[in-house]
Short mmCIF file of all heavy atoms in Angstrom, two decimals:
data_model
loop_
_atom_site.label_atom_id
_atom_site.label_comp_id
_atom_site.label_asym_id
_atom_site.label_seq_id
_atom_site.Cartn_x
_atom_site.Cartn_y
_atom_site.Cartn_z
N GLU A 1267 -125.30 -13.25 -92.73
CA GLU A 1267 -126.59 -13.16 -93.41
C GLU A 1267 -127.29 -11.86 -93.07
O GLU A 1267 -127.99 -11.28 -93.91
CB GLU A 1267 -127.47 -14.35 -93.03
CG GLU A 1267 -128.83 -14.36 -93.73
CD GLU A 1267 -129.61 -15.62 -93.45
OE1 GLU A 1267 -129.25 -16.69 -93.99
OE2 GLU A 1267 -130.59 -15.54 -92.69
N LEU A 1268 -127.10 -11.39 -91.84
CA LEU A 1268 -127.83 -10.21 -91.38
C LEU A 1268 -126.95 -9.34 -90.51
O LEU A 1268 -126.21 -9.83 -89.65
CB LEU A 1268 -129.07 -10.65 -90.58
CG LEU A 1268 -129.86 -9.57 -89.85
CD1 LEU A 1268 -130.56 -8.65 -90.84
CD2 LEU A 1268 -130.89 -10.20 -88.90
N PHE A 1269 -127.04 -8.04 -90.73
CA PHE A 1269 -126.42 -7.05 -89.85
C PHE A 1269 -127.57 -6.14 -89.40
O PHE A 1269 -128.13 -5.40 -90.19
CB PHE A 1269 -125.35 -6.25 -90.58
CG PHE A 1269 -124.49 -5.40 -89.68
CD1 PHE A 1269 -123.18 -5.77 -89.39
CD2 PHE A 1269 -124.99 -4.24 -89.10
CE1 PHE A 1269 -122.39 -4.99 -88.54
CE2 PHE A 1269 -124.21 -3.46 -88.27
CZ PHE A 1269 -122.90 -3.84 -87.99
N ALA A 1270 -127.93 -6.23 -88.12
CA ALA A 1270 -129.11 -5.52 -87.62
C ALA A 1270 -128.74 -4.44 -86.62
O ALA A 1270 -128.09 -4.72 -85.60
CB ALA A 1270 -130.08 -6.51 -86.97
N GLY A 1271 -129.13 -3.23 -86.91
CA GLY A 1271 -128.97 -2.15 -85.94
C GLY A 1271 -130.12 -2.21 -84.95
O GLY A 1271 -131.27 -2.45 -85.33
N VAL A 1272 -129.82 -2.01 -83.68
CA VAL A 1272 -130.86 -2.07 -82.64
C VAL A 1272 -130.72 -0.88 -81.70
O VAL A 1272 -129.62 -0.46 -81.36
CB VAL A 1272 -130.79 -3.39 -81.82
CG1 VAL A 1272 -131.12 -4.58 -82.70
CG2 VAL A 1272 -129.41 -3.57 -81.18
N HIS A 1273 -131.86 -0.34 -81.30
CA HIS A 1273 -131.88 0.71 -80.30
C HIS A 1273 -131.74 0.10 -78.91
O HIS A 1273 -132.04 -1.08 -78.70
CB HIS A 1273 -133.19 1.49 -80.36
CG HIS A 1273 -133.34 2.36 -81.56
ND1 HIS A 1273 -132.43 3.34 -81.88
CD2 HIS A 1273 -134.30 2.41 -82.52
CE1 HIS A 1273 -132.83 3.97 -82.98
NE2 HIS A 1273 -133.95 3.42 -83.39
N MET A 1274 -131.34 0.90 -77.96
CA MET A 1274 -131.31 0.49 -76.57
C MET A 1274 -132.73 0.56 -76.02
O MET A 1274 -133.35 1.61 -76.02
CB MET A 1274 -130.39 1.40 -75.76
CG MET A 1274 -129.67 0.68 -74.64
SD MET A 1274 -128.46 1.74 -73.83
CE MET A 1274 -129.51 2.52 -72.63
N THR A 1275 -133.26 -0.56 -75.59
CA THR A 1275 -134.65 -0.61 -75.13
C THR A 1275 -134.79 -0.16 -73.69
O THR A 1275 -135.59 0.72 -73.36
CB THR A 1275 -135.22 -2.03 -75.27
OG1 THR A 1275 -135.17 -2.41 -76.65
CG2 THR A 1275 -136.65 -2.10 -74.79
N HIS A 1276 -134.03 -0.77 -72.81
CA HIS A 1276 -134.15 -0.46 -71.38
C HIS A 1276 -133.11 0.59 -71.00
O HIS A 1276 -131.95 0.51 -71.39
CB HIS A 1276 -133.97 -1.71 -70.53
CG HIS A 1276 -132.63 -2.37 -70.69
ND1 HIS A 1276 -131.55 -2.07 -69.90
CD2 HIS A 1276 -132.19 -3.26 -71.59
CE1 HIS A 1276 -130.50 -2.77 -70.29
NE2 HIS A 1276 -130.87 -3.52 -71.31
N ALA A 1277 -133.55 1.59 -70.29
CA ALA A 1277 -132.64 2.62 -69.79
C ALA A 1277 -132.91 2.78 -68.31
O ALA A 1277 -133.99 3.20 -67.90
CB ALA A 1277 -132.87 3.94 -70.53
N ALA A 1278 -131.93 2.41 -67.52
CA ALA A 1278 -132.13 2.38 -66.08
C ALA A 1278 -131.44 3.53 -65.35
O ALA A 1278 -131.64 3.71 -64.16
CB ALA A 1278 -131.61 1.05 -65.52
N THR A 1279 -130.64 4.30 -66.06
CA THR A 1279 -129.97 5.44 -65.45
C THR A 1279 -130.05 6.63 -66.42
O THR A 1279 -130.35 6.46 -67.61
CB THR A 1279 -128.48 5.14 -65.18
OG1 THR A 1279 -127.80 4.96 -66.44
CG2 THR A 1279 -128.32 3.89 -64.32
N LEU A 1280 -129.76 7.81 -65.91
CA LEU A 1280 -129.77 8.99 -66.77
C LEU A 1280 -128.71 8.88 -67.87
O LEU A 1280 -128.90 9.33 -69.00
CB LEU A 1280 -129.54 10.25 -65.94
CG LEU A 1280 -130.68 10.61 -64.97
CD1 LEU A 1280 -130.28 11.81 -64.13
CD2 LEU A 1280 -131.96 10.90 -65.73
N LYS A 1281 -127.58 8.25 -67.54
CA LYS A 1281 -126.52 8.06 -68.52
C LYS A 1281 -127.00 7.16 -69.66
O LYS A 1281 -126.73 7.42 -70.83
CB LYS A 1281 -125.28 7.44 -67.85
CG LYS A 1281 -124.11 7.22 -68.80
CD LYS A 1281 -122.91 6.63 -68.06
CE LYS A 1281 -121.74 6.39 -69.01
NZ LYS A 1281 -120.57 5.81 -68.30
N GLN A 1282 -127.74 6.12 -69.31
CA GLN A 1282 -128.27 5.23 -70.33
C GLN A 1282 -129.35 5.92 -71.15
O GLN A 1282 -129.46 5.70 -72.35
CB GLN A 1282 -128.81 3.95 -69.68
CG GLN A 1282 -127.71 3.06 -69.12
CD GLN A 1282 -128.25 1.83 -68.43
OE1 GLN A 1282 -129.44 1.73 -68.13
NE2 GLN A 1282 -127.38 0.87 -68.15
N GLU A 1283 -130.15 6.76 -70.52
CA GLU A 1283 -131.15 7.53 -71.26
C GLU A 1283 -130.49 8.34 -72.36
O GLU A 1283 -130.99 8.44 -73.49
CB GLU A 1283 -131.89 8.48 -70.31
CG GLU A 1283 -132.91 7.81 -69.40
CD GLU A 1283 -134.24 7.59 -70.10
OE1 GLU A 1283 -134.42 8.10 -71.21
OE2 GLU A 1283 -135.10 6.91 -69.52
N ALA A 1284 -129.34 8.92 -72.06
CA ALA A 1284 -128.64 9.76 -73.03
C ALA A 1284 -128.07 8.95 -74.19
O ALA A 1284 -127.75 9.52 -75.23
CB ALA A 1284 -127.51 10.53 -72.33
N MET A 1285 -127.97 7.63 -74.02
CA MET A 1285 -127.41 6.78 -75.07
C MET A 1285 -128.48 6.24 -76.01
O MET A 1285 -128.18 5.50 -76.93
CB MET A 1285 -126.62 5.62 -74.45
CG MET A 1285 -125.26 6.06 -73.92
SD MET A 1285 -124.20 4.66 -73.46
CE MET A 1285 -124.83 4.27 -71.83
N ARG A 1286 -129.74 6.61 -75.82
CA ARG A 1286 -130.81 6.18 -76.71
C ARG A 1286 -130.76 7.03 -77.98
O ARG A 1286 -131.07 8.21 -77.95
CB ARG A 1286 -132.16 6.31 -76.02
CG ARG A 1286 -132.43 5.19 -75.03
CD ARG A 1286 -133.74 5.41 -74.34
NE ARG A 1286 -134.25 4.17 -73.75
CZ ARG A 1286 -135.30 4.11 -72.95
NH1 ARG A 1286 -135.96 5.21 -72.65
NH2 ARG A 1286 -135.70 2.96 -72.45
N LEU A 1287 -130.41 6.41 -79.08
CA LEU A 1287 -130.16 7.15 -80.31
C LEU A 1287 -131.39 7.89 -80.83
O LEU A 1287 -131.29 9.01 -81.32
CB LEU A 1287 -129.63 6.21 -81.39
CG LEU A 1287 -129.31 6.87 -82.74
CD1 LEU A 1287 -128.19 7.90 -82.58
CD2 LEU A 1287 -128.94 5.83 -83.78
N TYR A 1288 -132.56 7.27 -80.73
CA TYR A 1288 -133.75 7.89 -81.31
C TYR A 1288 -134.12 9.20 -80.64
O TYR A 1288 -134.89 9.99 -81.17
CB TYR A 1288 -134.95 6.93 -81.30
CG TYR A 1288 -135.30 6.36 -79.94
CD1 TYR A 1288 -136.09 7.05 -79.04
CD2 TYR A 1288 -134.81 5.10 -79.57
CE1 TYR A 1288 -136.40 6.51 -77.81
CE2 TYR A 1288 -135.13 4.56 -78.34
CZ TYR A 1288 -135.92 5.26 -77.47
OH TYR A 1288 -136.23 4.73 -76.24
N ARG A 1289 -133.55 9.46 -79.48
CA ARG A 1289 -133.76 10.75 -78.83
C ARG A 1289 -132.98 11.86 -79.53
O ARG A 1289 -133.24 13.04 -79.31
CB ARG A 1289 -133.29 10.69 -77.36
CG ARG A 1289 -134.19 9.87 -76.46
CD ARG A 1289 -133.81 10.12 -75.02
NE ARG A 1289 -134.74 9.48 -74.11
CZ ARG A 1289 -135.94 9.96 -73.82
NH1 ARG A 1289 -136.36 11.06 -74.38
NH2 ARG A 1289 -136.73 9.33 -72.96
N HIS A 1290 -132.02 11.48 -80.34
CA HIS A 1290 -131.14 12.47 -80.98
C HIS A 1290 -131.45 12.65 -82.47
O HIS A 1290 -130.69 13.30 -83.17
CB HIS A 1290 -129.68 12.04 -80.82
CG HIS A 1290 -129.25 11.90 -79.39
ND1 HIS A 1290 -128.56 12.89 -78.71
CD2 HIS A 1290 -129.43 10.89 -78.49
CE1 HIS A 1290 -128.33 12.48 -77.46
NE2 HIS A 1290 -128.84 11.27 -77.32
N THR A 1291 -132.53 12.06 -82.95
CA THR A 1291 -132.81 12.11 -84.38
C THR A 1291 -133.52 13.38 -84.81
O THR A 1291 -133.62 13.65 -86.01
CB THR A 1291 -133.66 10.89 -84.80
OG1 THR A 1291 -134.88 10.89 -84.03
CG2 THR A 1291 -132.89 9.61 -84.56
N GLY A 1292 -134.03 14.17 -83.87
CA GLY A 1292 -134.78 15.37 -84.23
C GLY A 1292 -133.97 16.37 -85.03
O GLY A 1292 -134.46 16.95 -86.00
N ASN A 1293 -132.73 16.58 -84.63
CA ASN A 1293 -131.88 17.57 -85.29
C ASN A 1293 -130.79 16.96 -86.15
O ASN A 1293 -129.94 17.67 -86.67
CB ASN A 1293 -131.25 18.50 -84.25
CG ASN A 1293 -132.29 19.24 -83.43
OD1 ASN A 1293 -133.30 19.68 -83.96
ND2 ASN A 1293 -132.06 19.34 -82.13
N LYS A 1294 -130.81 15.64 -86.32
CA LYS A 1294 -129.76 14.99 -87.07
C LYS A 1294 -130.35 14.06 -88.12
O LYS A 1294 -131.38 13.44 -87.91
CB LYS A 1294 -128.83 14.19 -86.13
CG LYS A 1294 -128.04 15.07 -85.16
CD LYS A 1294 -127.09 14.24 -84.33
CE LYS A 1294 -126.27 15.11 -83.38
NZ LYS A 1294 -125.32 14.32 -82.57
N ASN A 1295 -129.69 13.98 -89.25
CA ASN A 1295 -130.11 13.11 -90.32
C ASN A 1295 -129.04 12.04 -90.52
O ASN A 1295 -127.91 12.35 -90.89
CB ASN A 1295 -130.31 13.91 -91.61
CG ASN A 1295 -130.93 13.07 -92.71
OD1 ASN A 1295 -130.97 11.85 -92.62
ND2 ASN A 1295 -131.43 13.74 -93.72
N PHE A 1296 -129.41 10.81 -90.26
CA PHE A 1296 -128.45 9.72 -90.35
C PHE A 1296 -128.53 8.99 -91.68
O PHE A 1296 -127.92 7.93 -91.85
CB PHE A 1296 -128.67 8.72 -89.21
CG PHE A 1296 -128.52 9.31 -87.84
CD1 PHE A 1296 -129.58 9.35 -86.95
CD2 PHE A 1296 -127.30 9.84 -87.44
CE1 PHE A 1296 -129.43 9.90 -85.68
CE2 PHE A 1296 -127.14 10.39 -86.18
CZ PHE A 1296 -128.22 10.42 -85.31
N SER A 1297 -129.27 9.54 -92.64
CA SER A 1297 -129.49 8.83 -93.91
C SER A 1297 -128.19 8.59 -94.66
O SER A 1297 -128.01 7.53 -95.29
CB SER A 1297 -130.47 9.60 -94.78
OG SER A 1297 -129.99 10.90 -95.07
N LYS A 1298 -127.26 9.55 -94.63
CA LYS A 1298 -125.99 9.37 -95.35
C LYS A 1298 -125.19 8.22 -94.75
O LYS A 1298 -124.61 7.41 -95.48
CB LYS A 1298 -125.18 10.67 -95.29
CG LYS A 1298 -123.88 10.60 -96.08
CD LYS A 1298 -123.14 11.94 -96.07
CE LYS A 1298 -121.85 11.86 -96.87
NZ LYS A 1298 -121.13 13.17 -96.86
N ILE A 1299 -125.16 8.16 -93.43
CA ILE A 1299 -124.44 7.07 -92.76
C ILE A 1299 -125.06 5.73 -93.12
O ILE A 1299 -124.35 4.76 -93.42
CB ILE A 1299 -124.46 7.28 -91.23
CG1 ILE A 1299 -123.62 8.50 -90.85
CG2 ILE A 1299 -123.97 6.03 -90.50
CD1 ILE A 1299 -123.68 8.85 -89.38
N ILE A 1300 -126.39 5.67 -93.10
CA ILE A 1300 -127.08 4.41 -93.39
C ILE A 1300 -126.90 4.01 -94.85
O ILE A 1300 -126.76 2.83 -95.16
CB ILE A 1300 -128.57 4.53 -93.01
CG1 ILE A 1300 -128.69 4.71 -91.48
CG2 ILE A 1300 -129.34 3.29 -93.45
CD1 ILE A 1300 -130.09 5.00 -91.00
N ARG A 1301 -126.88 4.98 -95.77
CA ARG A 1301 -126.65 4.66 -97.18
C ARG A 1301 -125.27 4.04 -97.37
O ARG A 1301 -125.10 3.08 -98.14
CB ARG A 1301 -126.78 5.92 -98.04
CG ARG A 1301 -128.22 6.34 -98.31
CD ARG A 1301 -128.29 7.27 -99.52
NE ARG A 1301 -127.47 8.46 -99.34
CZ ARG A 1301 -127.89 9.60 -98.81
NH1 ARG A 1301 -129.15 9.69 -98.36
NH2 ARG A 1301 -127.09 10.65 -98.72
N ARG A 1302 -124.26 4.58 -96.70
CA ARG A 1302 -122.92 4.02 -96.80
C ARG A 1302 -122.89 2.59 -96.24
O ARG A 1302 -122.25 1.70 -96.80
CB ARG A 1302 -121.92 4.90 -96.05
CG ARG A 1302 -121.63 6.23 -96.75
CD ARG A 1302 -120.82 7.14 -95.85
NE ARG A 1302 -119.61 6.51 -95.37
CZ ARG A 1302 -118.99 6.84 -94.23
NH1 ARG A 1302 -119.51 7.79 -93.44
NH2 ARG A 1302 -117.89 6.22 -93.87
N ALA A 1303 -123.58 2.40 -95.12
CA ALA A 1303 -123.64 1.07 -94.53
C ALA A 1303 -124.35 0.10 -95.46
O ALA A 1303 -123.95 -1.07 -95.61
CB ALA A 1303 -124.35 1.13 -93.17
N ASN A 1304 -125.42 0.56 -96.11
CA ASN A 1304 -126.15 -0.28 -97.05
C ASN A 1304 -125.27 -0.71 -98.22
O ASN A 1304 -125.37 -1.85 -98.71
CB ASN A 1304 -127.38 0.47 -97.58
CG ASN A 1304 -128.65 0.05 -96.86
OD1 ASN A 1304 -128.93 -1.14 -96.74
ND2 ASN A 1304 -129.41 1.02 -96.39
N TRP A 1305 -124.41 0.18 -98.68
CA TRP A 1305 -123.51 -0.15 -99.78
C TRP A 1305 -122.55 -1.26 -99.39
O TRP A 1305 -122.34 -2.22 -100.14
CB TRP A 1305 -122.74 1.11 -100.22
CG TRP A 1305 -121.70 0.86 -101.27
CD1 TRP A 1305 -120.35 1.03 -101.14
CD2 TRP A 1305 -121.92 0.37 -102.60
NE1 TRP A 1305 -119.71 0.68 -102.31
CE2 TRP A 1305 -120.64 0.28 -103.24
CE3 TRP A 1305 -123.05 0.01 -103.31
CZ2 TRP A 1305 -120.49 -0.16 -104.53
CZ3 TRP A 1305 -122.90 -0.44 -104.63
CH2 TRP A 1305 -121.62 -0.52 -105.21
N HIS A 1306 -121.99 -1.16 -98.18
CA HIS A 1306 -121.08 -2.21 -97.72
C HIS A 1306 -121.83 -3.52 -97.50
O HIS A 1306 -121.28 -4.61 -97.75
CB HIS A 1306 -120.39 -1.77 -96.43
CG HIS A 1306 -119.37 -0.69 -96.63
ND1 HIS A 1306 -118.30 -0.84 -97.46
CD2 HIS A 1306 -119.26 0.56 -96.08
CE1 HIS A 1306 -117.56 0.26 -97.45
NE2 HIS A 1306 -118.13 1.13 -96.62
N ALA A 1307 -123.07 -3.45 -97.03
CA ALA A 1307 -123.87 -4.66 -96.84
C ALA A 1307 -124.13 -5.33 -98.19
O ALA A 1307 -124.05 -6.56 -98.33
CB ALA A 1307 -125.18 -4.32 -96.16
N PHE A 1308 -124.41 -4.52 -99.20
CA PHE A 1308 -124.64 -5.05 -100.55
C PHE A 1308 -123.39 -5.76 -101.07
O PHE A 1308 -123.46 -6.87 -101.61
CB PHE A 1308 -125.03 -3.91 -101.49
CG PHE A 1308 -125.10 -4.30 -102.94
CD1 PHE A 1308 -126.17 -5.04 -103.43
CD2 PHE A 1308 -124.07 -3.95 -103.81
CE1 PHE A 1308 -126.21 -5.42 -104.77
CE2 PHE A 1308 -124.12 -4.31 -105.15
CZ PHE A 1308 -125.19 -5.05 -105.63
N LEU A 1309 -122.23 -5.13 -100.90
CA LEU A 1309 -120.98 -5.74 -101.35
C LEU A 1309 -120.66 -7.01 -100.57
O LEU A 1309 -120.00 -7.92 -101.10
CB LEU A 1309 -119.83 -4.73 -101.23
CG LEU A 1309 -119.91 -3.50 -102.13
CD1 LEU A 1309 -118.75 -2.56 -101.84
CD2 LEU A 1309 -119.91 -3.91 -103.61
#
Side-chain angles (χ1 to χ4, degrees):
E1267 182 174 287
L1268 172 68
F1269 192 106
V1272 294
H1273 289 303
M1274 214 174 86
T1275 299
H1276 61 92
T1279 66
L1280 292 175
K1281 181 179 179 180
Q1282 290 178 346
E1283 285 277 351
M1285 284 190 278
R1286 282 177 161 171
L1287 180 63
Y1288 55 84
R1289 289 192 173 282
H1290 301 262
T1291 58
N1293 300 320
K1294 294 184 179 181
N1295 188 345
F1296 299 118
S1297 59
K1298 183 176 180 180
I1299 292 175
I1300 295 173
R1301 282 199 302 270
R1302 288 171 55 206
N1304 260 310
W1305 175 244
H1306 288 302
F1308 172 76
L1309 294 177

